[in-house]
C-alpha cells in the first residue's frame, strides 16, 4: 500500500482531491508538499508527537492537507463540527488541550465569539482570511519548507461524539507505535471488504469533520486513490458528481437517501451512474422502505456497516444479505456481540436489549473518553464488555437489528416504545421531509409519544395534515406507537452526519411541560 509521498513521487499530477462543485484539483505532488508544510509549521510551533491540535472549517481543498500534516508528524488532531456553539467549541478545545487551532474565515463570527470563552490556546490561525485575534494560516504556512520533517511519525484523529445525548466526548483511540508510512488502520479491513485501491475515486458528500468521511478519505489517499469532496450536500449535485468524476465509491447517511429518492423521476434518471460500484452507508439506521428503493434504483451495490468512533466492534451487511434480512445492520466482523438486559444478563434470540461488544478481549484495546473517567466507566459493564447505548436484537443467524438509542426509549404505561420505528414509518409519507419522535411527560402513563415533523412544504404545516398523518400511522402501527400529537418545525436540528439533535427537542418539550405544571399549581 503506497503512502501519499510515494504516490506523489510516482504519479505527481494525479488528483489527490477534487472539489466537486468548482472542479478545483489538488495534485498528489501539491498535496504532499502542503501537508509537509503543515508538519513543518507544527514543529516550528513546538508541537511534537503526542501533542494535540484542532481545526474547524467547512469542506475545502485544504482540510485534508492539515489532517495529513498532523497524521505524518505524530500529532493528535481534532476536527470540530461547524454547527457547534461557542461554549461547546470552547469545551472541546480545552478538553483536548489543543496547542494550535485553525478556523476558516467563513466562520469568523464563531471565531470572534471564541475569543471570549476559549482563551487558553497558544496559537490561533484563520484560513482563507484574517480577523482580530487570529494570525493568517495561509501566510505563515507559505513560509514553511515543502520537504518532510526529520522526525516523521504516525498521528491519529481524536473525534468527539456528536453530543446528541449530552456533552461531546472525545474518543482517544489506542494506537500502537507505527511508522509514519504504515498503512491506514482501515485499509486491511473495510478497505479490502469494499474494494478500495489506487483506482478508487471516492465521493464524500458529508462534512469531513465527521468520522466516516474523514477516515475513508484519508484511507483512499493512503492507497493512492482520488477523493471528490462535495462542498455541501445536494441530492442532484451528488448524482452529477458521480457522473462527472466517474466515482467508484461513495459514503452516505440515510437522510441523504431520503433526499435522493424525493428527486423527480426524470432527474434521477438523467445521470450516468455506471462507474459506481460501492455505495456505503452508516451513522444512523436506514428505514427499510428507503433502503429497498435505493437497491431497486442503484442495484446491489449498497453496503452498510454499524460501528462507532469508540471502535468497540463492528458489523457489515451487503445488499444481497440485507434483502434476506431486511432491517439488519449485519453480522459481526470485529468484536463479539452480546445483547443484555438492564441487569447484565444475556438475552435470547429475538429479545431486545442493550447492544454490547466484547471489545477489550477481541480487539486488544480499551478505548477511553479523553479526561472523562466516569463516562468511560459508564460505557463498560466490565473489563471487556462495552456499549455506546444502542438497543437492538439478533436473529437466529446472528444478524443484528437496531431498535433505537437506549436514551430515547419511550416508556409509556410500562411498555417500551422505540421512536426509530415510528420515524422510519413516517418518513415515507409524501408530505414529510424529516421527523423526530420522542416521549413527553404524561400524568397517567408516565410518557406519551410525540412527533415533530419537518414538512416538504411549509404550507402543509396545518392541523388537517397533522390529523392526516396520525390516521395514516394508525393504518401501519399499533395504537400505542401512534403519536398523541404532531407538531411542525421548518427545519429539524439534524446534523450533517445524519443524526438528530433530538436532545434539544426533548429538553425544550420537557421544559414546556414543567412550565405548564407550574402554572397549573
Amino acid at each position: 500500500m503506497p503512502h501519499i509521498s510515494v504516490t506523489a513521487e510516482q504519479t505527481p499530477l494525479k488528483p489527490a482531491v477534487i472539489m466537486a462543485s468548482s472542479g478545483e484539483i489538488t495534485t498528489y505532488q501539491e498535496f504532499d508538499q502542503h501537508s509537509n508544510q503543515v508538519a513543518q509549521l507544527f514543529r516550528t510551533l513546538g508541537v511534537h508527537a503526542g501533542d494535540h491540535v484542532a481545526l474547524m472549517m467547512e469542506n475545502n481543498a485544504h482540510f485534508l492537507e492539515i489532517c495529513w500534516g498532523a497524521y505524518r508528524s505524530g500529532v493528535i488532531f481534532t476536527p470540530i463540527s461547524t454547527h457547534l456553539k461557542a461554549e461547546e467549541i470552547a469545551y472541546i478545545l480545552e478538553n483536548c488541550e489543543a496547542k494550535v487551532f485553525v478556523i476558516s474565515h467563513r466562520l469568523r463570527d464563531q471565531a470572534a465569539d471564541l475569543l471570549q470563552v476559549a482563551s487558553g490556546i497558544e496559537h490561533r490561525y484563520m484560513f482563507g482570511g484574517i480577523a482580530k485575534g487570529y494570525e493568517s494560516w495561509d501566510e505563515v504556512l507559505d513560509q514553511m519548507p515543502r520537504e518532510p520533517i526529520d522526525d516523521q511519525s504516525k498521528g491519529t484523529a481524536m473525534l468527539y461524539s456528536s453530543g446528541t445525548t449530552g456533552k461531546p466526548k472525545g474518543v482517544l483511540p489506542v494506537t500502537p507505535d507505527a511508522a509514519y508510512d504504515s498503512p491506514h488502520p482501515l485499509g486491511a479491513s473495510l478497505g479490502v471488504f469494499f474494494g478500495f485501491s489506487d483506482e478508487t475515486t471516492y465521493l464524500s458528500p458529508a462534512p469531513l469533520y465527521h468520522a466516516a468521511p474523514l477516515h475513508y478519505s484519508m484511507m483512499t489517499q493512503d492507497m493512492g486513490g482520488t477523493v471528490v469532496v462535495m462542498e455541501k450536500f445536494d441530492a442532484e449535485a451528488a448524482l452529477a458528481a458521480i457522473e462527472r468524476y466517474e466515482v467508484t465509491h461513495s459514503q452516505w447517511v440515510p437522510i441523504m437517501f431520503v433526499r435522493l429518492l424525493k428527486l423527480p423521476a426524470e432527474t434521477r434518471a438523467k445521470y450516468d451512474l455506471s462507474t459506481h460500484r460501492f455505495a456505503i452507508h452508516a451513522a444512523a439506521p436506514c428505514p427499510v422502505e428507503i433502503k429497498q428503493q435505493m437497491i431497486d434504483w442503484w442495484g446491489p451495490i449498497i453496503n452498510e456497516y454499524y460501528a462507532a468512533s469508540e471502535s468497540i466492534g463492528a458489523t457489515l451487511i451487503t445488499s444481497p444479505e440485507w434483502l434476506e434480512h431486511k432491517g439488519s445492520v449485519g453480522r459481526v466482523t470485529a468484536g463479539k456481540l452480546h445483547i443484555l438486559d438492564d441487569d447484565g444478563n444475556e438475552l435470547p434470540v429475538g429479545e431486545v436489549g442493550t447492544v454490547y461488544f466484547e471489545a477489550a478481549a477481541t480487539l486488544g484495546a480499551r478505548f477511553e473518553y479523553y479526561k472523562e473517567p466516569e463516562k468511560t466507566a459508564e460505557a463498560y459493564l466490565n473489563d471487556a464488555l462495552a456499549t455506546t447505548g444502542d438497543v437492538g436484537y439478533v436473529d437466529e443467524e446472528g444478524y443484528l437489528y437496531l431498535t433505537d438509542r437506549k436514551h430515547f426509549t419511550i416508556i409509556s404505561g410500562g411498555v417500551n416504545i422505540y421512536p426509530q420505528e415510528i420515524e422510519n414509518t413516517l418518513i415515507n409519507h409524501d408530505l414529510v421531509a424529516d421527523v423526530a419522535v420522542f416521549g413527553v411527560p404524561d400524568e397517567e402513563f408516565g410518557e406519551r409519544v410525540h412527533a415533530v415533523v419537518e414538512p416538504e412544504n411549509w404550507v402543509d404545516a396545518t392541523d388537517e395534515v397533522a390529523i392526516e398523518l396520525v390516521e395514516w400511522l394508525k393504518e401501519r402501527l399499533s395504537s400505542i406507537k401512534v403519536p398523541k400529537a404532531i407538531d411542525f418545525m421548518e427545519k429539524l436540528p439534524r446534523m450533517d452526519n445524519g443524526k438528530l439533535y433530538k436532545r434539544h427537542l426533548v429538553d425544550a418539550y420537557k421544559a414546556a411541560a414543567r412550565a405548564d405544571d407550574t402554572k397549573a399549581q
Side-chain angles (χ1 to χ4, degrees):
M1 181 184 297
H3 181 259
I4 59 167
S5 58
V6 175
T7 305
E9 182 179 350
Q10 295 177 346
T11 54
L13 300 183
K14 183 176 183 176
V17 177
I18 303 175
M19 298 306 297
S21 178
S22 67
E24 177 186 0
I25 292 175
T26 303
T27 67
Y28 264 97
Q29 182 179 63
E30 295 168 330
F31 192 88
D32 182 52
Q33 291 174 347
H34 294 165
S35 64
N36 279 332
Q37 288 179 301
V38 173
Q40 292 279 5
L41 177 57
F42 287 156
R43 290 294 188 264
T44 300
L45 297 174
V47 178
H48 298 285
D51 289 337
H52 295 244
V53 301
L55 64 153
M56 181 175 165
M57 57 185 66
E58 72 287 348
N59 282 2
N60 60 60
H62 303 287
F63 190 113
L64 291 168
E65 293 172 351
I66 298 173
C67 295
W68 267 99
Y71 194 52
R72 67 191 304 173
S73 58
V75 172
I76 301 170
F77 58 101
T78 293
I80 299 175
S81 168
T82 60
H83 295 295
L84 298 182
K85 304 298 183 184
E87 291 75 15
E88 294 173 301
I89 302 165
Y91 168 79
I92 292 174
L93 291 174
E94 179 182 357
N95 183 258
C96 78
E97 303 171 305
K99 287 189 172 183
V100 176
F101 176 52
V102 188
I103 190 168
S104 165
H105 186 255
R106 290 190 185 180
L107 306 175
R108 54 192 175 276
D109 290 342
Q110 288 159 283
D113 292 340
L114 276 173
L115 293 176
Q116 311 302 318
V117 293
S119 56
I121 309 298
E122 292 182 46
H123 305 284
R124 302 169 184 267
Y125 292 96
M126 184 166 285
F127 166 85
I130 195 65
K132 181 181 178 181
Y134 294 83
E135 296 182 65
S136 170
W137 175 259
D138 310 78
E139 290 181 9
V140 71
L141 195 67
D142 193 49
Q143 300 170 17
M144 294 295 111
R146 297 189 172 192
E147 291 72 37
I149 57 175
D150 294 331
D151 59 339
Q152 291 191 92
S153 60
K154 196 80 161 185
T156 188
M158 186 173 83
L159 301 173
Y160 277 71
S161 68
S162 53
T164 54
T165 60
K167 189 176 289 185
K169 301 182 292 289
V171 181
L172 182 62
V174 178
T175 52
D177 292 336
Y180 77 92
D181 57 354
S182 60
H184 189 281
L186 291 183
S189 54
L190 293 178
V192 171
F193 185 86
F194 294 133
F196 280 74
S197 72
D198 59 350
E199 297 181 356
T200 294
T201 299
Y202 167 72
L203 176 68
S204 182
L208 294 169
Y209 50 70
H210 289 305
L214 176 67
H215 290 314
Y216 275 83
S217 293
M218 295 186 74
M219 177 180 68
T220 298
Q221 293 173 320
D222 197 52
M223 292 181 168
T226 296
V227 177
V228 178
V229 177
M230 293 190 71
E231 291 84 345
K232 185 177 181 180
F233 175 72
D234 174 84
E236 184 174 358
L239 299 178
I242 294 173
E243 178 183 83
R244 178 181 179 185
Y245 301 110
E246 299 183 345
V247 166
T248 61
H249 293 65
S250 59
Q251 173 89 34
W252 312 85
V253 294
I255 194 64
M256 293 178 179
F257 287 164
V258 172
R259 302 284 187 264
L260 286 162
L261 288 167
K262 296 207 176 201
L263 289 171
E266 59 271 20
T267 301
R268 289 166 49 188
K270 74 178 185 179
Y271 294 99
D272 179 3
L273 310 181
S274 59
T275 62
H276 198 196
R277 296 188 289 111
F278 286 89
I280 306 159
H281 76 97
C286 188
V288 170
E289 290 185 36
I290 297 299
K291 185 160 180 176
Q292 179 69 65
Q293 291 176 66
M294 288 301 301
I295 294 174
D296 291 343
W297 177 14
W298 284 0
I301 69 168
I302 296 176
N303 297 267
E304 181 175 3
Y305 69 92
Y306 164 63
S309 298
E310 288 83 351
S311 298
I312 59 174
T315 67
L316 283 171
I317 191 165
T318 63
S319 286
E321 286 180 291
W322 185 88
L323 291 170
E324 296 294 325
H325 302 270
K326 292 184 179 182
S328 174
V329 295
R331 289 194 285 190
V332 171
T333 58
K336 184 178 179 182
L337 180 64
H338 298 267
I339 306 296
L340 307 181
D341 65 16
D342 290 343
D343 296 321
N345 301 310
E346 197 93 25
L347 290 170
V349 166
E351 288 199 23
V352 175
T354 302
V355 178
Y356 280 85
F357 282 95
E358 196 170 326
T362 54
L363 302 183
R366 178 185 172 96
F367 83 90
E368 65 178 71
Y369 293 121
Y370 193 61
K371 298 198 304 187
E372 297 279 6
E374 292 184 1
K375 291 179 181 177
T376 302
E378 289 173 3
Y380 279 87
L381 182 64
N382 51 44
D383 287 340
L385 295 174
T387 183
T388 57
D390 288 318
V391 175
Y393 65 94
V394 293
D395 65 17
E396 292 182 350
E397 296 180 61
Y399 284 87
L400 174 65
Y401 299 74
L402 299 177
T403 54
D404 219 313
R405 297 281 291 177
K406 187 172 185 178
H407 184 82
F408 293 129
T409 300
I410 301 167
I411 304 176
S412 183
V415 178
N416 286 357
I417 300 171
Y418 302 107
Q420 180 189 305
E421 179 187 4
I422 307 165
E423 292 167 350
N424 288 354
T425 303
L426 200 46
I427 195 66
N428 286 287
H429 195 285
D430 290 342
L431 299 180
V432 176
D434 205 353
V435 59
V437 175
F438 48 89
V440 295
D442 184 275
E443 284 188 9
E444 184 178 0
F445 294 99
E447 285 186 301
R448 63 180 181 273
V449 180
H450 193 88
V452 178
V453 164
E454 176 187 323
E456 282 286 345
N457 300 292
W458 187 244
V459 294
D460 293 322
T462 65
D463 292 342
E464 291 76 13
V465 169
I467 293 170
E468 176 187 335
L469 294 176
V470 168
E471 294 301 317
W472 187 82
L473 284 173
K474 286 179 179 178
E475 298 173 2
R476 291 161 175 81
L477 298 172
S478 62
S479 59
I480 195 172
K481 299 175 184 178
V482 176
K484 299 298 183 276
I486 292 179
D487 292 336
F488 294 97
M489 182 177 286
E490 287 196 67
K491 190 70 177 177
L492 283 175
R494 186 179 288 276
M495 294 175 293
D496 29 35
N497 69 344
K499 296 180 181 179
L500 274 169
Y501 263 128
K502 195 183 289 188
R503 172 173 57 91
H504 293 177
L505 291 171
V506 174
D507 290 348
Y509 274 82
K510 286 185 176 179
R514 287 193 296 269
D516 289 342
D517 288 343
T518 301
K519 290 177 183 178
Q521 292 174 358

